[in-house]
Amino acid sequence: MEYRTLGDTDLQLSAITYGAFAIGGNMWGGNETKDSIAAVHASLDNGVTTIDTAPFYGFGLSEELIGAAIKSKDRGKIQLLTKFGLVWDGSNQGKGEYFFDASENGRAIPVYKLTSKANIIKELEESLKRLGTDYIDLLQLHWPDATTPVDETMEALNTLISQGKIRAAGVSNYDLPLMKTAAKTTRLASNQVSYSMLNRGIEKDMVPYAIENNIGIIAYSPLERGLLTGKYFRDAALKADDHRNGYFGQFSADKVKAFLDSITPLAESKNASLSQLVLRWTTLQPGITIVLAGARNAAQATQNAQTMNLQLKADEVGFISRELEKVYAE
């Protein structure tokens, strides 16, 4: 495993980080508790020291599962990354910005974005309890909230750092103007953004800004929620309540399949899976600090963690990138 410094903090994070969205179950067709905990343990056993989660994942379940999984582990050797700012239980009392309706057991649950100082403090205490810890290594705003001034949110994060409840502050899904606004109030350690072979928009402005200002970039959905593993072009099927039934529709299936077919021989020559090759390419892109990889069981988690054993030469990275350009060609 390779460990990388996040921005100008003293946090050393594993280049492959365990992404805990799917084990929450909601929007992913459910979960199995035993398998989820085994996935976290397998990650830790294979050098992954960093776990990224959020209260929204499973409406608290993801954090609870992680708390159970690390209860007997050395907390000082694990970096916990979580978030705040999505409210679903009605406690916002009409405040915040409506986001979307989530689903749980066939029931629609309205979700609001709320990043007020009071809500940050409330959510943090709830996360600490679920995770079974007294501090968070990196606390991240989950989604921008147009109803709360940016400086109010950032000042609250400054306070939590000074209190020792969080070691560093970050954001997620922030665009460049919001990053610059936030920088007037606090020193952000990172921005967690969607980034993959099929989604490279941040390379235009966010990556140069992050590099220039020593801000970490945490890449989520690097496998495009499983599409880039190739298994959905073979025999894998999605459950009816899995959000990916609609999500995959934004991509050209024929182009993606042709691309994966073109790089499969390289993966096979390295005794690696397609997902490992895709993840490794992603970790080697300029400005990308760590890459989130989700896993529902120990086997998937082990495979993700072992990605960093894969060595790619410059010409091999170039070959992948050239083949990838064909996906974007008209």
Side-chain angles (χ1 to χ4, degrees), residues 4-316:
R4 299 175 176 180
T5 302
L6 185 69
D8 63 357
T9 74
D10 60 358
L11 291 175
Q12 295 290 310
L13 311 183
S14 52
I16 297 295
T17 286
Y18 182 77
F21 189 2
I23 65 170
N26 64 320
M27 299 175 65
W28 292 85
N31 79 311
E32 294 292 338
T33 297
K34 182 179 179 181
D35 288 344
S36 298
I37 292 177
V40 175
H41 286 167
S43 296
L44 296 172
D45 290 343
N46 284 276
V48 171
T49 60
T50 312
I51 302 171
D52 178 85
T53 184
F56 172 69
Y57 301 162
F59 305 114
L61 179 59
S62 176
E63 288 186 329
E64 290 174 357
L65 289 171
I66 291 168
I70 68 171
K71 189 174 183 180
S72 61
K73 305 296 183 179
D74 185 344
R75 173 69 178 89
K77 295 181 179 179
I78 298 171
Q79 302 85 48
L80 293 178
L81 285 48
T82 194
K83 307 176 187 76
F84 66 88
L86 292 188
V87 177
W88 66 88
D89 58 5
S91 62
N92 58 322
Q93 298 180 330
K95 299 177 182 178
E97 177 185 0
Y98 173 75
F99 194 13
F100 70 105
D101 278 358
S103 177
E104 184 180 42
N105 299 322
R107 180 171 61 97
I109 301 177
V111 177
Y112 286 79
K113 294 182 283 188
L114 182 60
T115 62
S116 66
K117 178 180 180 180
N119 188 61
I120 295 171
I121 294 171
K122 172 181 178 293
E123 286 200 58
L124 174 62
E125 293 302 323
E126 293 170 345
S127 290
L128 291 173
K129 182 177 180 179
R130 286 190 288 256
L131 290 164
T133 186
D134 57 3
Y135 71 95
I136 299 297
D137 294 279
L138 177 69
L139 183 64
Q140 307 158 94
L141 177 152
H142 205 154
W143 283 90
D145 162 28
T147 69
T148 302
V150 172
D151 60 349
E152 177 183 339
T153 304
M154 298 303 135
E155 287 170 0
L157 290 171
N158 288 340
T159 298
L160 292 174
I161 290 174
S162 67
Q163 292 174 343
K165 292 189 174 183
I166 66 174
R167 294 178 63 189
V171 292
S172 183
N173 302 301
Y174 253 34
D175 59 18
L176 190 55
L178 280 172
M179 292 291 289
K180 291 180 177 179
T181 299
K184 298 175 183 178
T185 307
T186 195
R187 176 62 178 162
L188 290 175
S190 59
N191 188 10
Q192 182 176 145
V193 288
S194 178
Y195 178 73
S196 76
M197 288 177 161
L198 306 179
N199 177 18
R200 301 172 66 181
I202 65 168
E203 293 176 355
K204 181 179 180 181
D205 56 9
M206 186 59 68
V207 167
Y209 176 82
I211 292 174
E212 180 181 355
N213 292 277
N214 194 20
I215 295 172
I217 290 182
I218 300 174
Y220 74 79
S221 293
L223 294 172
E224 285 301 349
R225 311 188 190 192
L227 183 64
L228 288 172
T229 66
K231 65 182 181 181
Y232 294 104
F233 294 108
R234 299 192 296 272
D235 56 1
L238 298 171
K239 293 184 179 180
D241 60 347
D242 194 311
H243 75 288
R244 292 173 294 179
N245 284 299
Y247 182 84
F248 289 163
Q250 67 184 293
F251 305 109
S252 168
D254 290 342
K255 287 186 175 182
V256 174
K257 184 178 185 303
F259 165 67
L260 294 177
D261 287 345
S262 73
I263 65 172
T264 294
L266 176 59
E268 291 175 343
S269 73
K270 302 279 187 178
N271 292 316
S273 67
L274 266 177
S275 61
Q276 288 175 322
L277 188 62
V278 170
L279 288 172
R280 191 68 176 107
W281 179 92
T282 309
T283 67
L284 294 170
Q285 298 312 295
I288 303 301
T289 309
I290 61 174
V291 175
L292 305 187
R296 290 178 179 246
N297 56 53
Q300 292 175 353
T302 299
Q303 178 175 277
N304 289 341
Q306 293 177 351
T307 289
M308 297 306 291
N309 295 335
L310 174 60
Q311 299 302 312
L312 291 177
K313 299 176 182 178
D315 63 322
E316 293 170 332

